[in-house]
Amino acid sequence: MDAIKKKMQAMKVDKDNACDRCDTCEEASKVAKLRAEKAEDEVADFVAKARQLETELDVTNERFAIVSLQLEEKEKSLLAAEAEMNALGRRVSQLEEDLEKTEEKLVAATGKLDKAGTAADDSERAKKVFQAKAEEDEKRIIGLEKELKEAREKAEAADNAYDETAKKLLACEGELDKAEERADV
């Protein structure tokens, strides 16, 4: 009988140990389930963040494309403005050359006018001829002054549009004034 008692007690101890192990396993299972749920929540959060980042990337790519197009348009506008500025620079250079030629013509006309005045003292007949020539020269001077005035107006218009050429035009006008002073002397 003692053997049965011992056997019963051993079985009871085994049962208690099995129950303890079962409780421990159940507790470990609960903890593992909680960790699994947390991990699933973290995965869901990461998936949501990844979607949000993908959306932000798409928006950023769209913005980049728009900004790139705007940059290309600005570059085209800049090239067009530079081309227009170069064309206007060439036009100003042409106007300056025309102004120089006009000044030379004015100096030549003034010289001819002086010769006509000197020849007027020689004879009455020569006086009439030279007076007629002087009148023609006066008309030419008026025409040249008109051309000069038009050239100045064109130069002033170019000056308003382009400050860079203003300095050149001022220098040309200064040279013109000096030439007129020399012509008056």
Side-chain angles (χ1 to χ4, degrees), residues 53-66:
L53 288 174
E54 286 175 357
T55 303
E56 289 175 3
L57 177 64
D58 291 342
V59 169
T60 303
N61 284 336
E62 288 174 9
R63 287 182 186 163
F64 175 73
I66 291 169

Side-chain angles (χ1 to χ4, degrees), residues 19-59:
C19 284
D20 287 343
R21 279 188 297 184
C22 180
D23 289 342
T24 304
C25 286
E26 283 179 0
E27 196 60 38
S29 173
K30 286 180 185 177
V31 169
K33 283 182 182 178
L34 284 174
R35 281 191 318 193
E37 286 177 6
K38 286 181 183 177
E40 287 175 0
D41 289 343
E42 287 178 1
V43 167
D45 288 344
F46 287 138
V47 167
K49 286 181 182 177
R51 285 184 185 145
Q52 181 182 2
L53 288 174
E54 286 175 357
T55 303
E56 289 175 3
L57 177 64
D58 291 342
V59 169

Side-chain angles (χ1 to χ4, degrees), residues 114-178:
D114 288 342
K115 289 178 183 178
T118 306
D121 293 335
D122 292 342
S123 73
E124 191 63 22
R125 184 171 180 219
K127 179 180 176 183
K128 290 179 183 180
V129 172
F130 285 120
Q131 281 180 342
K133 187 169 182 126
E135 288 175 6
E136 287 179 23
D137 287 342
E138 285 290 335
K139 288 178 184 177
R140 285 179 58 195
I141 287 172
I142 290 170
L144 290 173
E145 286 175 348
K146 231 183 226 184
E147 289 178 15
L148 180 60
K149 183 179 178 184
E150 289 174 4
R152 283 184 182 166
E153 290 174 355
K154 288 178 183 177
E156 287 174 4
D159 181 273
N160 290 335
Y162 298 93
D163 290 336
E164 182 179 318
T165 59
K167 293 176 185 174
K168 293 179 182 179
L169 286 175
L170 287 175
C172 288
E173 286 179 1
E175 291 176 13
L176 177 62
D177 288 341
K178 289 178 184 177

Side-chain angles (χ1 to χ4, degrees), residues 62-76:
E62 288 174 9
R63 287 182 186 163
F64 175 73
I66 291 169
V67 169
S68 295
L69 289 175
Q70 290 174 345
L71 177 63
E72 287 178 14
E73 290 175 12
K74 293 292 182 186
E75 287 175 347
K76 288 177 184 176

